[in-house]
Amino acid sequence: MKKITTLAAALLLAVTAASAQNNLSGLFGKVAGVLSGSDTTATSILNTIGGLISKSTSSVDKIPGNWTFTGSAIAFKSENALSNVASTVAEGTIEKKMDEYLAKVGVVAGKFGFNFKEDGTVVMNYGGKNFNGTWTYDEETAKINMKFAKLVKANGYLTMQNGTMKLLFDASTMLKILKSVSAKSNNTTLASLNTLLKSYNKMYAGFKLTK
């Protein structure tokens, strides 16, 4: 109970400080700063919430299957782990905006997804087009490495919770994936998405998927 209370107080202080400035990016920058260690209070707070930050809730045997896109996903990286704390704070704002941008380039439910196979191959489906590749996953680090023929290497993080898979990438990788598959990449949408993704320190972005 004491750990949870301390965490809530820390986040409340971050929210209050950002609210006073009326600056959304300041809020998430503060939260990300605490989680990344750049904030002066980061060390003690990270020690308090260390038990709440896990590397992964997934395992290799749960990955195979046909996964379809249900929405965007974000998380902030702290040390070698992805924190669900920052993602929960941000999901109502950043993910909603990301959904709008992704829809404009054709990444919508039913028209985008990944079919992971037990033999280490994967098929990415985008608007009825299939892109064949391979995948490997490291349970210890939650890192997934995907490589598609003639497309960008999609190396990032994969986690699972309550039947939902999250594929998360750094900003540059996320944009390269979309540019590689999207016929609508030559517009201002991806430029706007790029600005959004790079507005927050250590933020990873990607896709929520379900079977």
Side-chain angles (χ1 to χ4, degrees):
M1 179 63 73
K2 184 179 292 185
K3 291 183 178 181
I4 295 175
T5 302
T6 304
L7 170 60
L11 291 179
L12 180 59
L13 286 174
V15 172
T16 302
S19 179
Q21 299 174 5
N22 194 27
N23 188 324
L24 181 61
S25 63
L27 165 61
F28 295 116
K30 183 71 175 178
V31 174
V34 170
L35 293 172
S36 66
S38 61
D39 191 274
T40 56
T41 60
T43 301
S44 61
I45 293 176
L46 281 175
N47 287 337
T48 301
I49 67 174
L52 298 178
I53 299 177
S54 60
K55 292 181 180 179
S56 175
T57 56
S58 58
S59 59
V60 172
D61 63 331
K62 293 181 180 179
I63 296 175
N66 193 19
W67 297 83
T68 59
F69 174 81
T70 60
S72 60
I74 66 165
F76 291 94
K77 193 170 185 297
S78 174
E79 299 296 331
N80 294 318
L82 291 175
S83 171
N84 288 326
V85 176
S87 180
T88 299
V89 173
E91 68 181 9
T93 52
I94 303 176
E95 289 181 358
K96 182 178 180 180
K97 195 65 180 177
M98 279 185 59
D99 285 340
E100 295 176 6
Y101 290 141
L102 292 179
K104 290 180 180 180
V105 295
V107 178
V108 294
K111 294 186 177 181
F112 184 82
F114 297 84
N115 187 359
F116 292 94
K117 301 180 181 180
E118 294 181 354
D119 63 0
T121 60
V122 59
V123 179
M124 177 169 56
N125 179 272
Y126 169 80
K129 296 180 180 179
N130 290 329
F131 300 88
N132 297 313
T134 59
W135 68 279
T136 59
Y137 179 70
D138 186 333
E139 291 184 22
E140 291 297 316
T141 61
K143 290 181 178 180
I144 185 167
N145 298 318
M146 295 186 290
K147 184 177 181 180
F148 297 92
K150 300 180 181 180
L151 294 179
V152 65
K153 292 181 180 178
N155 299 332
Y157 289 88
L158 180 154
T159 63
M160 262 184 244
Q161 188 173 13
N162 299 325
T164 296
M165 174 192 289
K166 290 184 180 181
L167 284 178
L168 297 157
F169 310 94
D170 61 35
S172 61
T173 300
M174 176 72 167
L175 290 168
K176 286 178 181 178
I177 293 172
L178 295 175
K179 287 180 179 179
S180 295
V181 301
S182 176
K184 303 177 182 179
S185 61
N186 294 323
N187 55 37
T188 60
T189 300
L190 293 183
S192 298
L193 180 58
N194 181 47
T195 299
L196 175 68
L197 295 179
K198 292 188 175 181
S199 296
Y200 307 97
N201 294 329
K202 296 181 180 293
M203 188 176 81
Y204 274 52
F207 316 107
K208 290 178 185 174
L209 306 143
T210 59
K211 285 184 178 180

